[in-house]
Amino acid sequence: MRSEEQALDARAVVEAGVQAADAKLGEQIVVLDVSDQLGVVDYFVIISGKNTRQVATICEEIEAGTKHRAGRGPLRIEGLREASWVLLDYGDVVFHVFLEETREYYDLEHLWSEAPRMDLSRLLASAEASG
C-alpha cells in the first residue's frame, strides 16, 4: 500500500512534467491513473509532438522540469535516439512522448480506456497564468 506522501510525490512529478510538456507545445496531453490496473505505476502521461525534434525537446523539458519542481529525475529513458516513442520512467509515473502517427498506431488511450483520466484544465490554466 502506497503512503499518502508517495502519492503526493507522484502527483508532483505528473504536474511538473505536464507543465513542462505544455510549455514546449506538447499536444493532446492525457494523464491516466493506472494505479488500480498496474499497482506499481500510478500514472501514465501521454503526449504528442509534431516531429522528432519536438518530441526530443519535450522530453528534455520534462526531465528538467521534474528535477526543478519535483526534485526527481527519471530512472531511465528509452527511445530518445529515434524520438518516435520516448518513455521517461520515474517508477510511479511513466511519460510516453509520441510522434502523432506513432501515438495513433499504438493507441494507449484505448488500451487503458478503463483508467480514469486526470482533469488537466486547472493545472494548465495555472501554468499559463504564472508563466
Side-chain angles (χ1 to χ4, degrees):
M1 182 100 182
R2 295 179 47 78
S3 73
E4 186 174 331
E5 184 176 320
Q6 289 170 318
L8 289 173
D9 185 46
R11 177 102 183 192
V13 169
V14 167
E15 290 178 1
V18 165
Q19 289 176 342
D22 185 59
K24 292 300 177 185
L25 306 178
E27 297 181 345
Q28 300 174 3
I29 301 172
V30 174
V31 179
L32 302 174
D33 181 342
V34 294
S35 58
D36 288 341
Q37 288 88 353
L38 291 178
V40 294
V41 175
D42 290 339
Y43 299 102
F44 279 171
V45 183
I46 305 169
I47 305 157
S48 293
K50 291 187 178 298
N51 55 55
T52 56
R53 175 180 258 166
Q54 186 186 24
V55 167
T57 300
I58 291 168
C59 292
E60 291 168 4
E61 190 71 12
I62 290 170
E63 186 175 4
T66 56
K67 282 182 182 175
H68 176 72
R69 294 187 199 110
R72 289 181 51 196
L75 302 172
R76 68 176 191 213
I77 299 172
E78 295 183 15
L80 194 55
R81 182 182 314 225
E82 297 82 17
S84 174
W85 177 1
V86 182
L87 185 138
L88 293 96
D89 181 0
Y90 286 77
D92 49 3
V93 178
V94 178
F95 291 88
H96 300 269
V97 186
F98 287 100
L99 280 175
E100 292 172 337
E101 55 271 14
T102 306
R103 180 177 179 167
E104 288 175 19
Y105 179 80
Y106 287 102
D107 197 10
L108 292 185
E109 290 97 331
H110 179 73
L111 183 65
W112 296 100
S113 62
E114 298 296 316
R117 291 180 180 220
M118 182 185 290
D119 179 9
L120 301 177
S121 56
R122 274 200 297 192
L123 174 63
L124 295 176
S126 67
E128 288 176 18
S130 65

